Amino acid sequence: MSIIRSDIKIRSDIRIRVEAILRDYPDLETYIKNRKRELMIPHREIDENVGGGKSSKISKPQEQMIITIDADRRLKTLEREKSAIEKCFFESDADTQNIIKELYFKKYREYTVEGLSFNHIVNCSVRTVKRLKSDFLLKLAHELDIYEP
């Protein structure tokens, strides 16, 4: 495992992308279930071609569904994002977890970065809160293969 240095700055476009992924985390499980449901119940076009030859499609619908679910890029991306967030989150210390939960996982934030420190939600200075947040974002970007330090 590589060490993520805290003196490395993350580009703003990468930070924005990672923050958007983090904000979606509370809904990722729903997105994954909905995508699987879409793949299991595909849209079927009415075949007006009466007669004709054999189709090249797999005739067993269960096999077709498994192949579709395994090959779906959107589903794989959602699962990879969920896994990466959970890995980074659970490997983090309690203060970092509280910062990430408050800033990204809550639907309506109660505190800002400064508020987390001033209201003693985390036992850190404002500067440390900012550093822990940046370190987490950098670690997650690296885990998602968005950023290579």
Side-chain angles (χ1 to χ4, degrees), residues 18-95:
V18 171
E19 286 179 332
I21 291 169
L22 270 174
R23 284 189 187 96
D24 273 348
Y25 176 74
D27 299 319
L28 277 178
E29 191 62 40
T30 303
Y31 297 158
I32 290 169
K33 285 179 185 176
N34 289 344
R35 185 64 184 154
K36 283 182 180 178
R37 191 174 313 122
E38 287 173 12
L39 295 170
M40 285 188 227
I41 308 170
H43 172 71
R44 294 183 188 228
E45 293 182 22
I46 298 172
D47 185 13
E48 296 177 7
N49 183 13
V50 179
K54 291 186 174 185
S55 171
S56 63
K57 281 193 166 184
I58 299 171
S59 62
K60 297 177 184 168
Q62 291 86 4
E63 288 180 22
Q64 180 64 39
M65 180 184 63
I66 291 169
I67 291 169
T68 305
I69 289 174
D70 284 345
D72 188 67
R73 290 176 75 184
R74 177 68 181 142
L75 181 61
K76 292 291 178 208
T77 300
L78 291 170
E79 290 173 339
R80 195 172 120 249
E81 287 173 358
K82 183 177 184 285
S83 174
I85 291 170
E86 289 174 350
K87 180 180 187 291
C88 292
F89 184 79
F90 292 118
E91 288 177 355
S92 299
D93 61 282
D95 284 336

Side-chain angles (χ1 to χ4, degrees), residues 15 18-20 22-26 99-107 109 133 136-137:
R15 181 182 47 79
V18 171
E19 286 179 332
L22 270 174
R23 284 189 187 96
D24 273 348
Y25 176 74
I99 292 165
I100 299 306
K101 277 193 277 190
E102 179 61 39
L103 297 179
Y104 300 106
F105 295 170
K106 284 189 174 180
K107 188 171 184 172
R109 300 190 326 185
K133 177 186 149 195
F136 183 87
L137 294 176

Side-chain angles (χ1 to χ4, degrees), residues 119-146:
N119 293 301
H120 304 291
I121 305 303
V122 292
N123 298 317
C124 307
S125 67
V126 173
R127 184 174 180 164
T128 302
V129 171
K130 289 179 181 180
R131 183 184 52 79
L132 289 173
K133 177 186 149 195
S134 293
D135 289 351
F136 183 87
L137 294 176
L138 188 64
K139 183 178 175 185
L140 182 57
H142 181 68
E143 189 68 31
L144 291 167
D145 292 326
I146 297 173

